Amino acid sequence: MKLTTAMKVRIFYLFLKWSMQLKISRYLVALIIVSALLLNGCLTPQTNSDISKSFNAAEETSENVDYTNITPMSDDIKSSDPLMKNLPRLEGKATVIMTVKGSPITIELDGINAPITSGNFVDLVQKGVFDGLAFHRVIGPTTNQDPFVVQGGDPQSKDPKFPINRLGTGNYIEPKTGQVRYIPLEIKAKEYGKATYGKTISKAPELPHTLGAIAMARSQMPNSASSQFYFALADLGFLDGNYAVFGYVTDGMTTVNKIEQGDRIESARVIKGAENLKQPDKS
């Protein structure tokens, strides 16, 4: 018998309920959620209700983007692989104000340790991509669960009629080419002194998943991140080395903790460091 998406979600819910009844460590449960939810979409990582659907879709669409042969790579993005040169990058720091529920969330982006990931985010902010998008995955205080993540950035949520339980598979599409923009998994280990691209690492990262971290969601494919991102609602060290953190909330965590599924980003603006964004050389 072929299981439908609804059946799979129901089975997953029952498993979590059973885990809680047995009083399994919340960290183990969180790890299970990460594997089933985030990696698929929480990160458009395996992520949640659309677990299988959202991740299979991301895997299929990212097949044409292969960064696996460029790892590790020098921090000099300009002289690296041609695919990398087609992506915007942030050479320094930048500050973004994201307004949700009428309140500002201040985010400092670190282009020093995550130039490609930060550059992609700042570029999308400047293009107005995030304005009006919904937070489709929330695991935390507003859902009566242990603090975990709040995820948004799926362009499909721009349409208020798009079912929220189907979100988690959308990516940013370049208007001029009609192609999805994917960015490589970018993590800089303290020990290496330079970023590693296209694969996870086991070393301590320069940008860890501490409370307030902002990181890119992705599917099981390392290089499938596009526009979806998440805020860490607690210290989530077990995600370090697997997902790309690119900044931190410096003010407004109270607002982040109040975000509910369906809440929308009213606006997102770069208020400082816009000059550090460098667009790809078209020559």
Side-chain angles (χ1 to χ4, degrees), residues 132-146:
L133 298 191
F135 287 97
H136 62 277
R137 181 169 294 106
V138 178
I139 303 175
T142 60
T143 56
N144 297 316
Q145 295 170 288
D146 287 334

Side-chain angles (χ1 to χ4, degrees), residues 25-150:
S25 166
R26 69 189 181 93
Y27 296 104
L28 176 57
V29 173
L31 186 58
I32 293 172
I33 294 175
V34 172
S35 300
L37 302 185
L38 292 182
L39 295 178
N40 270 317
C42 182
L43 307 164
T44 296
Q46 287 180 343
T47 83
N48 85 0
S49 58
D50 278 334
I51 298 180
S52 58
K53 193 172 182 180
S54 116
F55 297 78
N56 291 337
E59 289 179 23
E60 292 171 3
T61 51
S62 62
E63 285 180 355
N64 294 326
V65 182
D66 182 9
Y67 295 94
T68 56
N69 295 321
I70 59 174
T71 28
M73 177 188 292
S74 166
D75 281 331
D76 186 4
I77 303 299
K78 295 180 181 179
S79 63
S80 60
D81 188 277
L83 289 175
M84 298 287 281
K85 293 194 292 185
N86 290 327
L87 296 171
R89 62 189 182 279
L90 186 67
E91 298 182 346
K93 299 289 184 72
T95 302
V96 168
I97 294 291
M98 182 177 290
T99 303
V100 181
K101 289 179 173 289
S103 299
I105 300 170
T106 304
I107 310 166
E108 183 174 280
L109 306 179
D110 190 340
I112 297 173
N113 293 303
I116 293 297
T117 313
S118 297
N120 173 69
F121 190 83
V122 171
D123 183 57
L124 295 183
V125 167
Q126 292 191 328
K127 285 179 166 60
V129 172
F130 295 119
D131 295 355
L133 298 191
F135 287 97
H136 62 277
R137 181 169 294 106
V138 178
I139 303 175
T142 60
T143 56
N144 297 316
Q145 295 170 288
D146 287 334
F148 191 38
V149 299
V150 169

